[in-house]
Protein backbone atom coordinates (compact mmCIF):
# COMPACT_ATOMS: atom_id res chain seq x y z
CA UNK A 1 0.00 0.00 0.00
CA UNK A 2 1.28 3.44 -0.80
CA UNK A 3 0.24 6.96 -0.04
CA UNK A 4 0.22 8.29 -3.59
CA UNK A 5 -3.06 9.86 -4.68
CA UNK A 6 -3.88 6.76 -6.76
CA UNK A 7 -4.27 4.74 -3.53
CA UNK A 8 -4.46 1.41 -5.38
CA UNK A 9 -2.97 0.02 -8.51
CA UNK A 10 -5.59 -0.06 -11.25
CA UNK A 11 -4.02 -3.23 -12.62
CA UNK A 12 -6.15 -5.42 -10.36
CA UNK A 13 -9.36 -3.44 -10.69
CA UNK A 14 -12.52 -5.47 -11.41
CA UNK A 15 -13.49 -3.03 -14.10
CA UNK A 16 -10.31 -3.97 -15.91
CA UNK A 17 -11.58 -7.49 -16.31
CA UNK A 18 -10.35 -9.05 -13.07
CA UNK A 19 -13.13 -9.76 -10.61
CA UNK A 20 -10.96 -11.56 -8.09
CA UNK A 21 -8.32 -10.40 -5.73
CA UNK A 22 -10.27 -7.52 -4.15
CA UNK A 23 -8.70 -6.89 -0.74
CA UNK A 24 -10.89 -7.31 2.29
CA UNK A 25 -10.54 -5.97 5.83
CA UNK A 26 -9.06 -8.24 8.44
CA UNK A 27 -11.53 -10.01 10.65
CA UNK A 28 -12.07 -8.22 13.97
CA UNK A 29 -11.23 -10.17 17.07
CA UNK A 30 -13.67 -10.17 19.98
CA UNK A 31 -14.88 -12.44 22.75
CA UNK A 32 -17.68 -13.91 20.68
CA UNK A 33 -15.42 -16.34 18.86
CA UNK A 34 -14.71 -16.77 15.17
CA UNK A 35 -17.06 -15.18 12.71
CA UNK A 36 -19.64 -17.50 11.25
CA UNK A 37 -20.09 -19.82 14.33
CA UNK A 38 -23.65 -21.01 14.84
CA UNK A 39 -25.46 -20.50 18.10
CA UNK A 40 -26.06 -23.60 20.19
CA UNK A 41 -29.81 -23.04 20.00
CA UNK A 42 -31.70 -22.45 16.80
CA UNK A 43 -35.25 -21.08 16.35
CA UNK A 44 -37.95 -23.55 15.37
CA UNK A 45 -38.50 -24.09 11.69
CA UNK A 46 -40.95 -21.72 10.06
CA UNK A 47 -40.64 -19.08 12.77
CA UNK A 48 -37.93 -16.92 11.25
CA UNK A 49 -38.65 -13.22 11.16
CA UNK A 50 -36.81 -10.21 9.78
CA UNK A 51 -34.33 -8.94 12.34
CA UNK A 52 -34.54 -5.44 13.74
CA UNK A 53 -30.93 -4.81 12.89
CA UNK A 54 -28.63 -5.94 10.16
CA UNK A 55 -26.50 -9.02 10.43
CA UNK A 56 -24.76 -11.64 8.42
CA UNK A 57 -26.35 -14.80 9.79
CA UNK A 58 -29.53 -16.63 8.78
CA UNK A 59 -32.56 -14.41 8.62
CA UNK A 60 -30.59 -11.25 7.98
CA UNK A 61 -31.78 -9.12 5.08
CA UNK A 62 -29.67 -9.32 1.95
CA UNK A 63 -27.38 -6.38 1.38
CA UNK A 64 -28.84 -3.55 -0.65
CA UNK A 65 -27.87 -3.70 -4.31
CA UNK A 66 -24.83 -1.68 -5.18
CA UNK A 67 -23.19 -1.77 -1.76
CA UNK A 68 -20.87 -4.65 -2.61
CA UNK A 69 -21.98 -6.71 0.39
CA UNK A 70 -20.94 -4.13 2.95
CA UNK A 71 -22.70 -4.10 6.33
CA UNK A 72 -25.90 -2.12 6.45
CA UNK A 73 -27.17 0.31 9.04
CA UNK A 74 -30.05 -0.26 11.46
CA UNK A 75 -33.30 -1.46 9.93
CA UNK A 76 -34.08 -2.41 6.39
CA UNK A 77 -32.63 -0.37 3.52
CA UNK A 78 -30.59 1.94 5.75
CA UNK A 79 -27.38 3.58 4.67
CA UNK A 80 -24.34 1.45 5.53
CA UNK A 81 -22.25 2.52 8.47
CA UNK A 82 -18.89 3.68 7.17
CA UNK A 83 -15.81 5.29 8.58
CA UNK A 84 -15.16 8.88 7.61
CA UNK A 85 -11.45 9.66 8.00
CA UNK A 86 -11.70 12.63 5.65
CA UNK A 87 -14.33 14.66 3.82
CA UNK A 88 -16.50 11.72 2.68
CA UNK A 89 -17.70 8.48 4.25
CA UNK A 90 -15.94 5.45 2.78
CA UNK A 91 -18.91 3.94 0.96
CA UNK A 92 -20.86 4.65 -2.23
CA UNK A 93 -21.85 8.31 -2.23
CA UNK A 94 -25.04 10.15 -2.95
CA UNK A 95 -25.16 13.32 -5.02
CA UNK A 96 -25.45 15.50 -1.92
CA UNK A 97 -22.45 13.79 -0.34
CA UNK A 98 -20.32 14.47 -3.43
CA UNK A 99 -21.22 18.16 -3.29
CA UNK A 100 -20.77 18.26 0.49
CA UNK A 101 -17.37 16.58 0.17
CA UNK A 102 -16.30 19.22 -2.34
CA UNK A 103 -17.34 22.07 -0.04
CA UNK A 104 -15.75 20.33 2.96
CA UNK A 105 -12.46 20.09 1.07
CA UNK A 106 -12.61 23.81 0.31
CA UNK A 107 -13.16 24.52 4.02
CA UNK A 108 -10.62 22.03 5.41
CA UNK A 109 -7.82 23.06 3.03
CA UNK A 110 -8.86 26.62 2.34
CA UNK A 111 -5.32 27.98 2.38
CA UNK A 112 -4.16 25.54 -0.29
CA UNK A 113 -7.34 25.78 -2.35
CA UNK A 114 -7.53 29.56 -2.15
CA UNK A 115 -3.82 29.93 -2.82
CA UNK A 116 -3.88 27.98 -6.07
CA UNK A 117 -7.25 29.15 -7.42
CA UNK A 118 -6.80 32.82 -6.58
CA UNK A 119 -3.28 32.93 -8.00
CA UNK A 120 -4.23 31.20 -11.23
CA UNK A 121 -7.43 33.23 -11.61
CA UNK A 122 -5.59 36.56 -11.18
CA UNK A 123 -2.88 35.62 -13.68
CA UNK A 124 -5.37 34.27 -16.21
CA UNK A 125 -7.72 37.23 -15.94
CA UNK A 126 -4.87 39.72 -16.23
CA UNK A 127 -3.72 38.01 -19.42
CA UNK A 128 -7.27 38.04 -20.81
CA UNK A 129 -7.68 41.76 -20.09
CA UNK A 130 -4.36 42.61 -21.78
CA UNK A 131 -5.24 40.50 -24.82
CA UNK A 132 -8.69 42.08 -25.10
CA UNK A 133 -7.26 45.57 -24.74
CA UNK A 134 -4.20 45.44 -26.99
CA UNK A 135 -4.19 42.39 -29.26
CA UNK A 136 -7.74 41.86 -30.48
CA UNK A 137 -8.74 43.65 -33.71
CA UNK A 138 -11.45 46.27 -33.88
CA UNK A 139 -14.92 44.98 -34.76
CA UNK A 140 -15.84 45.20 -38.47
CA UNK A 141 -18.27 47.88 -39.58
CA UNK A 142 -21.78 46.66 -40.27
CA UNK A 143 -24.21 48.23 -42.72
CA UNK A 144 -27.74 47.44 -41.58
CA UNK A 145 -29.08 48.17 -45.10
CA UNK A 146 -26.71 45.78 -46.90
CA UNK A 147 -28.25 43.01 -48.98
CA UNK A 148 -27.10 40.16 -51.18
CA UNK A 149 -23.36 39.41 -51.42
CA UNK A 150 -22.47 42.41 -49.24
CA UNK A 151 -24.64 41.10 -46.42
CA UNK A 152 -23.01 37.65 -46.72
CA UNK A 153 -19.56 39.25 -46.60
CA UNK A 154 -20.43 41.23 -43.50
CA UNK A 155 -21.79 38.08 -41.85
CA UNK A 156 -18.57 36.21 -42.64
CA UNK A 157 -16.46 39.09 -41.29
CA UNK A 158 -18.50 39.20 -38.08
CA UNK A 159 -18.15 35.45 -37.62
CA UNK A 160 -14.40 35.64 -38.15
CA UNK A 161 -14.13 38.51 -35.67
CA UNK A 162 -16.13 36.64 -33.04
CA UNK A 163 -13.93 33.57 -33.42
CA UNK A 164 -10.74 35.62 -33.13
CA UNK A 165 -12.21 37.55 -30.22
CA UNK A 166 -13.16 34.45 -28.22
CA UNK A 167 -10.25 32.12 -29.05
CA UNK A 168 -7.51 33.75 -26.86
CA UNK A 169 -9.68 34.00 -23.72
CA UNK A 170 -10.84 30.41 -24.22
CA UNK A 171 -7.25 29.21 -24.59
CA UNK A 172 -6.12 31.07 -21.48
CA UNK A 173 -9.11 29.76 -19.52
CA UNK A 174 -8.38 26.20 -20.68
CA UNK A 175 -4.76 26.42 -19.50
CA UNK A 176 -5.86 27.85 -16.14
CA UNK A 177 -8.44 25.09 -15.74
CA UNK A 178 -5.86 22.40 -16.50
CA UNK A 179 -3.44 23.82 -13.95
CA UNK A 180 -6.00 24.16 -11.16
CA UNK A 181 -7.61 20.79 -11.91
CA UNK A 182 -4.25 19.02 -11.64
CA UNK A 183 -3.37 20.54 -8.28
CA UNK A 184 -6.87 20.42 -6.78
CA UNK A 185 -7.30 16.75 -7.73
CA UNK A 186 -4.27 15.94 -5.59
CA UNK A 187 -5.66 18.04 -2.71
CA UNK A 188 -9.01 16.25 -2.87
CA UNK A 189 -7.38 12.81 -3.04
CA UNK A 190 -5.53 13.54 0.19
CA UNK A 191 -8.59 15.03 1.89
CA UNK A 192 -10.56 11.82 1.26
CA UNK A 193 -8.29 9.92 3.66
CA UNK A 194 -7.86 12.84 6.05
CA UNK A 195 -4.25 13.60 5.16
CA UNK A 196 -2.97 17.20 5.37
CA UNK A 197 -1.57 18.68 2.20
CA UNK A 198 0.28 21.89 1.50
CA UNK A 199 0.44 23.79 -1.76
CA UNK A 200 4.03 22.69 -2.30
CA UNK A 201 3.09 19.03 -1.74
CA UNK A 202 0.17 19.25 -4.17
CA UNK A 203 2.32 20.99 -6.77
CA UNK A 204 5.06 18.36 -6.46
CA UNK A 205 2.49 15.60 -7.06
CA UNK A 206 0.71 17.37 -9.92
CA UNK A 207 3.64 18.82 -11.86
CA UNK A 208 4.70 15.62 -13.69
CA UNK A 209 1.14 15.13 -14.94
CA UNK A 210 0.55 18.60 -16.38
CA UNK A 211 1.73 17.82 -19.90
CA UNK A 212 -0.27 14.57 -20.18
CA UNK A 213 -3.31 16.42 -18.85
CA UNK A 214 -2.79 19.14 -21.45
CA UNK A 215 -2.55 16.47 -24.14
CA UNK A 216 -5.76 14.85 -22.95
CA UNK A 217 -7.59 18.18 -22.97
CA UNK A 218 -6.37 19.02 -26.48
CA UNK A 219 -7.29 15.56 -27.74
CA UNK A 220 -10.85 15.90 -26.42
CA UNK A 221 -11.11 19.40 -27.92
CA UNK A 222 -9.94 18.16 -31.33
CA UNK A 223 -12.37 15.26 -31.10
CA UNK A 224 -15.24 17.66 -30.35
CA UNK A 225 -14.28 19.94 -33.26
CA UNK A 226 -14.06 16.98 -35.65
CA UNK A 227 -17.49 15.68 -34.64
CA UNK A 228 -19.14 19.09 -35.05
CA UNK A 229 -17.44 19.60 -38.41
CA UNK A 230 -18.58 16.19 -39.63
CA UNK A 231 -22.15 17.06 -38.65
CA UNK A 232 -22.19 20.48 -40.33
CA UNK A 233 -20.09 19.84 -43.42
CA UNK A 234 -22.64 17.96 -45.62
CA UNK A 235 -25.25 20.70 -45.21
CA UNK A 236 -22.74 23.48 -45.79
CA UNK A 237 -21.51 21.83 -48.97
CA UNK A 238 -25.06 21.49 -50.29
CA UNK A 239 -25.55 25.23 -49.85
CA UNK A 240 -29.26 25.72 -50.64
CA UNK A 241 -32.37 25.68 -48.46
CA UNK A 242 -32.18 21.91 -48.14
CA UNK A 243 -28.57 22.32 -47.08
CA UNK A 244 -29.60 24.54 -44.19
CA UNK A 245 -32.00 21.88 -42.93
CA UNK A 246 -29.39 19.17 -43.38
CA UNK A 247 -26.82 21.25 -41.52
CA UNK A 248 -29.25 21.72 -38.62
CA UNK A 249 -29.98 17.99 -38.41
CA UNK A 250 -26.28 17.21 -38.68
CA UNK A 251 -25.47 19.66 -35.91
CA UNK A 252 -28.17 18.12 -33.69
CA UNK A 253 -26.83 14.60 -34.28
CA UNK A 254 -23.26 15.76 -33.69
CA UNK A 255 -24.24 17.36 -30.38
CA UNK A 256 -25.87 14.11 -29.20
CA UNK A 257 -22.76 12.11 -30.09
CA UNK A 258 -20.51 14.73 -28.51
CA UNK A 259 -22.41 14.77 -25.22
CA UNK A 260 -22.34 10.97 -25.08
CA UNK A 261 -18.58 10.87 -25.64
CA UNK A 262 -17.79 13.71 -23.23
CA UNK A 263 -19.68 11.98 -20.40
CA UNK A 264 -18.01 8.69 -21.31
CA UNK A 265 -14.56 10.26 -21.01
CA UNK A 266 -15.28 12.71 -18.18
CA UNK A 267 -13.32 10.65 -15.60
CA UNK A 268 -10.22 10.44 -17.77
CA UNK A 269 -8.67 13.47 -16.08
CA UNK A 270 -8.75 12.12 -12.48
CA UNK A 271 -7.69 8.67 -13.76
CA UNK A 272 -4.72 10.26 -15.51
CA UNK A 273 -3.78 12.21 -12.38
CA UNK A 274 -4.38 9.67 -9.63
CA UNK A 275 -3.46 6.43 -11.38
CA UNK A 276 -0.57 7.82 -13.43
CA UNK A 277 -2.25 6.53 -16.58
CA UNK A 278 -1.34 7.50 -20.12
CA UNK A 279 -3.75 9.58 -22.19
CA UNK A 280 -5.32 6.68 -24.07
CA UNK A 281 -5.31 4.40 -21.02
CA UNK A 282 -7.07 7.06 -18.93
CA UNK A 283 -9.76 7.41 -21.60
CA UNK A 284 -10.32 3.63 -21.60
CA UNK A 285 -10.36 3.70 -17.81
CA UNK A 286 -13.01 6.42 -17.77
CA UNK A 287 -15.16 4.51 -20.24
CA UNK A 288 -15.07 1.42 -17.99
CA UNK A 289 -15.89 3.37 -14.86
CA UNK A 290 -18.80 5.23 -16.47
CA UNK A 291 -20.21 2.10 -18.12
CA UNK A 292 -23.61 1.34 -16.61
CA UNK A 293 -23.74 4.72 -14.85
CA UNK A 294 -23.91 7.10 -17.81
CA UNK A 295 -27.21 8.74 -16.88
CA UNK A 296 -26.22 9.16 -13.23
CA UNK A 297 -22.92 10.72 -14.25
CA UNK A 298 -24.70 12.95 -16.75
CA UNK A 299 -27.17 14.14 -14.10
CA UNK A 300 -24.45 14.95 -11.56
CA UNK A 301 -22.45 16.93 -14.13
CA UNK A 302 -25.54 18.80 -15.30
CA UNK A 303 -26.34 19.70 -11.69
CA UNK A 304 -22.77 20.89 -11.19
CA UNK A 305 -22.96 22.99 -14.35
CA UNK A 306 -26.23 24.49 -13.15
CA UNK A 307 -24.72 25.41 -9.79
CA UNK A 308 -21.72 26.92 -11.56
CA UNK A 309 -24.02 28.92 -13.82
CA UNK A 310 -26.00 30.22 -10.84
CA UNK A 311 -22.80 31.28 -9.05
CA UNK A 312 -21.61 32.99 -12.21
CA UNK A 313 -24.86 34.96 -12.53
CA UNK A 314 -25.01 35.90 -8.84
CA UNK A 315 -21.48 37.32 -8.92
CA UNK A 316 -21.15 38.42 -12.54
CA UNK A 317 -24.32 40.50 -12.83
CA UNK A 318 -23.53 42.89 -9.92
CA UNK A 319 -19.91 43.34 -11.02
CA UNK A 320 -20.94 43.83 -14.66
CA UNK A 321 -23.57 46.39 -13.72
CA UNK A 322 -21.13 48.36 -11.58
CA UNK A 323 -18.54 48.21 -14.35
CA UNK A 324 -21.00 49.62 -16.91
CA UNK A 325 -21.87 52.61 -14.76
CA UNK A 326 -18.28 53.32 -13.71
CA UNK A 327 -16.88 53.20 -17.24
CA UNK A 328 -16.98 56.54 -19.07
CA UNK A 329 -18.46 55.09 -22.24
CA UNK A 330 -21.00 53.01 -20.42
CA UNK A 331 -23.70 51.02 -22.10
CA UNK A 332 -24.03 53.38 -25.07
CA UNK A 333 -20.44 52.73 -26.14
CA UNK A 334 -21.01 48.99 -25.95
CA UNK A 335 -24.14 49.18 -28.12
CA UNK A 336 -22.50 51.39 -30.76
CA UNK A 337 -18.85 50.34 -30.90
CA UNK A 338 -18.76 46.85 -29.37
CA UNK A 339 -16.98 45.32 -26.39
CA UNK A 340 -13.56 46.65 -27.41
CA UNK A 341 -14.75 50.21 -26.76
CA UNK A 342 -14.74 49.67 -22.99
CA UNK A 343 -12.07 51.46 -20.98
CA UNK A 344 -9.89 50.33 -18.13
CA UNK A 345 -12.49 50.87 -15.37
CA UNK A 346 -14.88 48.39 -16.99
CA UNK A 347 -12.15 45.84 -17.72
CA UNK A 348 -10.72 46.01 -14.20
CA UNK A 349 -14.05 45.77 -12.35
CA UNK A 350 -15.43 43.02 -14.55
CA UNK A 351 -12.06 41.25 -14.27
CA UNK A 352 -12.31 41.29 -10.48
CA UNK A 353 -15.75 39.70 -10.77
CA UNK A 354 -14.33 37.02 -13.05
CA UNK A 355 -11.55 36.30 -10.55
CA UNK A 356 -14.11 35.82 -7.76
CA UNK A 357 -16.17 33.53 -9.99
CA UNK A 358 -13.14 31.44 -10.95
CA UNK A 359 -11.99 31.18 -7.34
CA UNK A 360 -15.31 29.52 -6.46
CA UNK A 361 -16.06 27.51 -9.58
CA UNK A 362 -12.60 25.98 -10.18
CA UNK A 363 -12.64 23.99 -6.89
CA UNK A 364 -16.32 23.11 -7.36
CA UNK A 365 -15.82 21.55 -10.78
CA UNK A 366 -12.55 19.81 -9.90
CA UNK A 367 -13.94 18.51 -6.62
CA UNK A 368 -17.09 17.02 -8.10
CA UNK A 369 -15.11 15.32 -10.87
CA UNK A 370 -12.54 13.83 -8.46
CA UNK A 371 -15.15 12.61 -5.97
CA UNK A 372 -17.30 11.21 -8.75
CA UNK A 373 -14.25 9.19 -9.83
CA UNK A 374 -13.71 7.99 -6.25
CA UNK A 375 -17.40 7.07 -5.96
CA UNK A 376 -17.35 4.99 -9.14
CA UNK A 377 -14.25 3.12 -8.00
CA UNK A 378 -15.86 2.45 -4.62
CA UNK A 379 -18.96 1.08 -6.34
CA UNK A 380 -17.09 -1.05 -8.88
CA UNK A 381 -13.78 -1.91 -7.23
CA UNK A 382 -14.25 -1.64 -3.44
CA UNK A 383 -11.78 1.23 -3.33
CA UNK A 384 -13.14 2.14 0.10
CA UNK A 385 -11.17 -0.77 1.58
CA UNK A 386 -7.91 0.53 0.12
CA UNK A 387 -8.77 4.04 1.28
CA UNK A 388 -9.42 2.74 4.80
CA UNK A 389 -6.01 1.07 4.83
CA UNK A 390 -4.36 4.22 3.48
CA UNK A 391 -6.05 6.22 6.24
CA UNK A 392 -4.71 3.79 8.86
CA UNK A 393 -8.11 2.74 10.17
CA UNK A 394 -8.09 -0.16 12.67
CA UNK A 395 -9.32 -3.57 11.55
CA UNK A 396 -7.75 -3.43 8.08
CA UNK A 397 -4.69 -5.23 6.83
CA UNK A 398 -1.62 -3.11 6.21
CA UNK A 399 -0.64 -4.98 3.09
CA UNK A 400 -1.70 -4.02 -0.41
Amino acid sequence: MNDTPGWASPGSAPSDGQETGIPRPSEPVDSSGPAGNWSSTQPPAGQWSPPSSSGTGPGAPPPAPGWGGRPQGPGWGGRPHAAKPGVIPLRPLGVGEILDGTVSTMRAHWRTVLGITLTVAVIAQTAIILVQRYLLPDPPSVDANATGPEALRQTADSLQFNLMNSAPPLLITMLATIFTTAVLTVVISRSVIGRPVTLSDAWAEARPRLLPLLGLTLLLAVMAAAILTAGLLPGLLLGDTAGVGLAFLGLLAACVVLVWLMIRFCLASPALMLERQSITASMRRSAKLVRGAWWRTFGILVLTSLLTFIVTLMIGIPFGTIALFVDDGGLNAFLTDGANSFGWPFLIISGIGDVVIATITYPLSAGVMALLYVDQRIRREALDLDLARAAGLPGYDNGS
Side-chain angles (χ1 to χ4, degrees):
M1 187 63 217
N2 55 58
D3 288 336
T4 60
W7 304 299
S9 170
S12 60
S15 65
D16 289 337
Q18 300 176 4
E19 298 294 338
T20 61
I22 299 177
R24 296 294 175 190
S26 61
E27 186 174 307
V29 179
D30 55 28
S31 59
S32 61
N37 285 355
W38 292 81
S39 172
S40 59
T41 60
Q42 301 296 322
Q47 297 184 13
W48 296 77
S49 59
S52 59
S53 62
S54 63
T56 57
W67 297 119
R70 296 170 179 80
Q72 302 293 307
W76 291 80
R79 282 281 194 176
H81 293 305
K84 189 178 179 182
V87 296
I88 59 170
L90 299 185
R91 56 166 169 75
L93 304 174
V95 178
E97 289 169 325
I98 291 176
L99 296 174
D100 180 70
T102 301
V103 176
S104 297
T105 301
M106 295 169 65
R107 289 201 306 261
H109 304 282
W110 66 270
R111 289 184 179 87
T112 303
V113 173
L114 184 63
I116 183 63
T117 55
L118 185 59
T119 302
V120 173
V122 169
I123 295 174
Q125 195 57 42
T126 301
I128 290 174
I129 290 176
L130 293 177
V131 168
Q132 289 177 335
R133 186 64 178 174
Y134 293 113
L135 298 182
L136 294 182
D138 295 329
S141 59
V142 176
D143 183 5
N145 299 321
T147 58
E150 180 63 22
L152 292 176
R153 186 191 63 80
Q154 291 183 8
T155 302
D157 290 342
S158 297
L159 179 60
Q160 181 181 4
F161 169 77
N162 290 330
L163 290 176
M164 293 181 62
N165 194 53
S166 60
L170 285 177
L171 179 60
I172 294 172
T173 302
M174 183 187 72
L175 294 175
T177 302
I178 290 172
F179 190 89
T180 54
T181 298
V183 178
L184 291 176
T185 300
V186 175
V187 174
I188 293 163
S189 70
R190 298 290 183 88
S191 67
V192 167
I193 56 178
R195 296 289 177 86
V197 57
T198 63
L199 183 57
S200 60
D201 294 335
W203 169 242
E205 291 280 358
R207 183 175 53 190
R209 309 304 298 165
L210 285 178
L211 286 180
L213 187 59
L214 175 61
L216 173 64
T217 304
L218 292 176
L219 178 59
L220 293 177
V222 171
M223 182 187 302
I227 292 172
L228 292 176
T229 302
L232 287 171
L233 191 59
L236 294 178
L237 292 177
L238 193 57
D240 53 9
T241 305
V244 175
L246 182 60
F248 175 76
L249 293 177
L251 177 62
L252 184 62
C255 289
V256 172
V257 174
L258 183 59
V259 169
W260 181 77
L261 286 176
M262 290 300 105
I263 299 300
R264 182 178 175 86
F265 296 135
C266 68
L267 301 183
S269 174
L272 183 144
M273 290 296 304
L274 299 178
E275 296 180 13
R276 305 296 191 267
Q277 297 274 19
S278 65
I279 294 175
T280 54
S282 65
M283 294 175 69
R284 290 195 299 268
R285 185 86 167 113
S286 175
K288 290 179 180 180
L289 290 174
V290 174
R291 184 181 303 151
W294 191 94
W295 284 107
R296 179 176 182 271
T297 305
F298 173 77
I300 292 175
L301 295 183
V302 168
L303 177 60
T304 304
S305 300
L306 179 61
L307 292 176
T308 302
F309 179 71
I310 292 174
V311 170
T312 302
L313 288 182
M314 292 178 61
I315 299 175
I317 290 177
F319 274 93
T321 303
I322 295 173
L324 281 174
F325 283 103
V326 169
D327 190 78
D328 293 334
L331 185 60
N332 291 330
F334 172 73
L335 295 176
T336 57
D337 299 327
N340 286 5
S341 63
F342 284 132
W344 282 110
F346 176 87
L347 294 176
I348 293 174
I349 295 176
S350 61
I352 293 174
D354 291 337
V355 167
V356 175
I357 292 171
T359 304
I360 298 175
T361 57
Y362 281 164
L364 179 63
S365 300
V368 169
M369 200 68 69
L371 292 182
L372 184 58
Y373 160 84
V374 172
D375 175 57
Q376 284 303 112
R377 286 197 63 184
I378 288 176
R379 291 173 183 271
R380 298 177 63 91
E381 304 170 3
L383 180 65
D384 51 331
L385 304 175
D386 288 305
L387 294 176
R389 279 193 289 271
L393 297 181
Y396 290 83
D397 293 331
N398 293 326
S400 59

